[in-house]
Amino acid sequence: MNRVRFAPSPTGDLHVGGLRTALYNVLFARKTGGAFILRLEDTDRERNLPEAHKDILNLLRRCGLEPDEGPDTGGPFAPYVQSERLALYAEHAAKLLEAGHAYPCFCSAERLEELRQQQRAAGQTPGYDRRCRSIDPAEARQRMASEPHVLRLAIPLEGEIVHQDRVWGALTFPLADVDDQVLVKSDGYPTYHLANVVDDHLMEITHVIRGEEWLPSVPKHLLLYRFFGWEAPEFAHLPLILNEQHRKLSKREGTGSVLAWLDRGIPPEALINYVALLGWHPSDEREFFTFAELVEAFDLERVSRAGAVFDPAKLEWLASEHLKLVPTPELLAQARPYLKSTEFARASDDLLLPLVEAVRAGLRRLDELPARLAPFSLRLTEPDEEAWSWIRADAARRSLPVILRRWHDGNYTEAEAMLEAVRQVGKETGIKGKELWMPLRASLTGRTGGPELKAILAHIGPDEAVARLARMLDIKP
Ligand code: GLU
């Protein structure tokens, strides 16, 4: 059975790149009847952020990417956590040391820094010069008991590693270019490389699907598998995600933040749909996918090497396509948090449903809803400049007072009857189209765009409509 994992380091906000890695792992597992495992790689104590752990889990849950198994103790949705498994890494590091595949290094941080500077000045790639590798093992053991040290991987001095990647094909890494990687830090914590390989083996991971930035680590990882005498999993490295300037989308760019998109009311299923297309293409031109359709269509063989450009406009278009399918009561329920600081915060569903119905066409994000509902505001907004220019136009001076009189005298109760009166005034005065309707809309809402007048009239009611028109014309009806 295939077993895959998402192994984020809780060092910050979940990035769209991380979401895509998690998603491709889940899709691969679902498609092939395998298991998806979640593992928090929190052994870098300087970079860990306590909140990030919880945040990553929350976002994965909101996006429906739940792991299939976890440690026995944790209950549902508990990931494996590396800082709770330290003894395992220590045990495996000891085996490498014993076999001569790892060695202690006593070099001070100052010496390593000096070395790096010298190498840079000489135009060389910085790397460890392997000074401690020649210390006699018996002496090294003795010094380990009293001196601070790290453990390094003894990379063979010559030869090469040939790697067959599911996305990149055959790649060859000359070992002369690979640094003696630190495996255990001076605080006794494993580095990513050691903990990652040990866990992938112990968790019986069959396919490692992760970002392209980990490709340079492959020779180190494959050597570790060889030194432990383990079979290595298959690897698939996913292409970089680029910003619109075609540079790597950085963690700091707001567009890369999963939380920021969800907070703006992009539905999780739309974000998942969009992120799926960053590096993978279906065999046809289709772009809209539900999660189930993605599972059906996904194929690791169709992941490309070319960097994928993150296009916010495309994401928002897909979001509008997904939002179209949401029934209005559900849309309103999802949008409620966005109405909190508006006058509609406590409005009933009965009142809001027709309003949402009137404004929902083409909605891309739920956070657009308050602005769209603004024309229904019962606090009359000051007309903007464009609205004023319609209200002051010649046609308006002729039509609006007549409309006001008809509405006032007509005692209408229905929006449709009020509109019919407007049409009648149009016929009598010869004022048509925009010239007739825009000044009216502008007077009632203070804006020139917005939902259908009928919906606005139905919502504010005839008395308020008459009062608004009168206020705008400064006449007492
Ligand atoms: N902890 C690594 C990360 O933060 C995992 C890389 C891998 O999947 O091997 O991305």
Side-chain angles (χ1 to χ4, degrees):
M1 185 172 85
N2 288 330
R3 292 171 59 81
V4 293
R5 73 337 185 247
F6 176 50
S9 298
T11 53
D13 197 1
L14 184 67
H15 197 244
V16 289
L19 183 66
R20 181 195 54 180
T21 300
L23 174 64
Y24 283 18
N25 276 284
V26 171
L27 292 177
F28 182 76
R30 298 284 176 275
K31 173 96 191 197
T32 63
F36 169 63
I37 287 156
L38 183 59
R39 183 172 79 219
L40 282 174
E41 302 205 321
D42 61 343
T43 60
D44 189 341
R45 290 202 286 175
E46 278 159 29
R47 294 180 58 229
N48 278 348
L49 294 177
E51 281 307 302
H53 179 141
K54 229 175 49 225
D55 293 348
I56 291 173
L57 297 189
N58 265 334
L59 289 174
L60 291 175
R61 186 184 291 127
R62 279 175 74 182
C63 292
L65 305 182
E66 306 234 358
D68 296 312
E69 64 170 62
D72 300 338
T73 46
F77 207 75
Y80 293 98
V81 180
Q82 286 190 327
S83 59
E84 293 165 5
R85 300 164 56 83
L86 296 176
L88 283 170
Y89 315 123
E91 189 187 302
H92 284 86
K95 284 188 189 157
L96 290 175
L97 186 66
E98 191 63 38
H101 293 308
Y103 64 94
C105 168
F106 305 96
C107 291
S108 65
E110 294 74 35
R111 168 166 197 270
L112 295 175
E113 185 48 39
E114 216 170 280
L115 182 63
R116 266 194 292 273
Q117 280 178 13
Q118 282 166 9
Q119 288 166 329
R120 269 197 214 107
Q124 298 161 349
T125 326
Y128 183 53
D129 62 359
R130 299 177 165 146
R131 180 193 268 189
C132 293
R133 193 158 157 176
S134 51
I135 300 173
D136 173 71
E139 183 196 332
R141 291 247 162 206
Q142 258 180 1
R143 286 177 62 182
M144 279 173 76
S146 55
E147 284 182 46
H149 60 276
V150 301
L151 277 194
R152 287 184 184 273
L153 180 61
I155 302 280
L157 300 179
E158 45 196 45
E160 56 192 27
I161 294 280
V162 179
H163 164 60
Q164 188 66 37
D165 198 274
R166 289 286 287 263
V167 175
W168 296 78
L171 297 173
T172 303
F173 298 91
L175 286 173
D177 299 342
V178 185
D179 202 15
D180 278 3
Q181 177 65 50
V182 173
L183 297 177
V184 179
K185 290 171 275 186
S186 55
D187 62 2
Y189 271 66
T191 56
Y192 151 73
H193 303 276
L194 176 66
N196 183 273
V197 166
V198 167
D199 276 346
D200 279 347
H201 173 72
L202 295 179
M203 295 175 189
E204 299 175 19
I205 298 303
T206 57
H207 295 75
V208 169
I209 303 170
R210 63 184 176 192
E212 177 187 327
E213 62 273 27
W214 300 104
L215 207 46
S217 300
V218 164
K220 297 170 189 172
H221 295 183
L222 289 181
L223 274 177
L224 283 169
Y225 283 102
R226 187 193 295 171
F227 291 159
F228 283 124
W230 297 334
E231 194 188 327
E234 286 201 51
F235 290 88
H237 287 88
L238 310 176
L240 291 179
I241 298 181
L242 309 172
N243 63 19
E244 285 171 295
Q245 288 74 44
H246 289 239
R247 281 193 292 274
K248 189 176 173 206
L249 186 67
S250 88
K251 284 234 177 206
R252 280 166 294 281
E253 278 172 273
T255 44
S257 160
V258 170
L259 182 63
W261 284 115
L262 296 183
D263 275 354
R264 298 176 72 194
I266 291 281
E269 55 277 20
L271 188 58
I272 285 290
N273 183 168
Y274 181 61
V275 160
L277 300 172
L278 293 174
W280 165 82
H281 307 272
S283 53
D284 51 24
E285 298 292 292
R286 201 145 56 112
E287 294 187 298
F288 180 95
F289 287 89
T290 62
F291 187 79
E293 289 166 348
L294 282 175
V295 171
E296 181 68 24
F298 186 75
D299 183 355
L300 209 46
E301 307 310 318
R302 299 194 64 84
V303 172
S304 74
R305 276 179 270 175
V309 177
F310 187 91
D311 175 2
K314 177 107 178 255
L315 167 61
E316 293 189 342
W317 169 76
L318 268 176
S320 72
E321 293 294 300
H322 280 268
L323 285 172
K324 263 186 208 164
L325 302 182
V326 182
T328 304
E330 202 180 316
L331 190 75
L332 173 57
Q334 289 174 13
R336 279 280 182 186
Y338 299 90
L339 300 181
K340 266 200 188 124
S341 52
T342 73
E343 68 181 277
F344 302 108
R346 274 182 291 275
S348 68
D349 280 7
D350 281 350
L351 181 126
L352 282 173
L353 281 171
L355 308 193
V356 173
E357 190 65 52
V359 302
R360 59 171 295 173
L363 194 72
R364 296 166 306 173
R365 304 187 314 262
L366 296 174
D367 72 350
E368 294 173 329
L369 212 50
R372 288 184 175 222
L373 289 176
F376 292 116
S377 173
L378 293 180
R379 302 181 201 128
L380 189 59
T381 36
E382 179 66 12
D384 62 20
E385 239 172 80
E386 209 191 330
W388 268 129
S389 69
W390 283 106
I391 297 168
R392 292 205 186 99
D394 272 355
R397 285 174 203 271
R398 289 193 286 129
S399 63
L400 291 181
V402 190
I403 295 171
L404 175 60
R405 205 167 322 116
R406 297 282 163 87
W407 278 2
H408 179 256
D409 299 344
N411 277 325
Y412 300 114
T413 52
E414 296 298 321
E416 187 46 48
M418 296 171 80
L419 290 180
E420 192 43 46
V422 178
R423 282 182 213 114
Q424 197 54 44
V425 172
K427 274 188 203 140
E428 289 164 20
T429 57
I431 302 169
K432 294 195 281 257
K434 273 192 170 182
E435 310 263 274
L436 177 66
W437 297 102
M438 273 302 203
L440 186 58
R441 169 184 291 280
S443 311
L444 292 174
T445 68
R447 297 288 176 270
T448 48
E452 283 181 3
L453 265 186
K454 189 169 171 182
I456 294 172
L457 290 174
H459 176 65
I460 63 178
D463 292 347
E464 176 67 16
V466 166
R468 282 186 187 191
L469 207 47
R471 217 175 312 154
M472 216 50 84
L473 295 173
D474 216 12
I475 314 168
K476 298 252 163 356

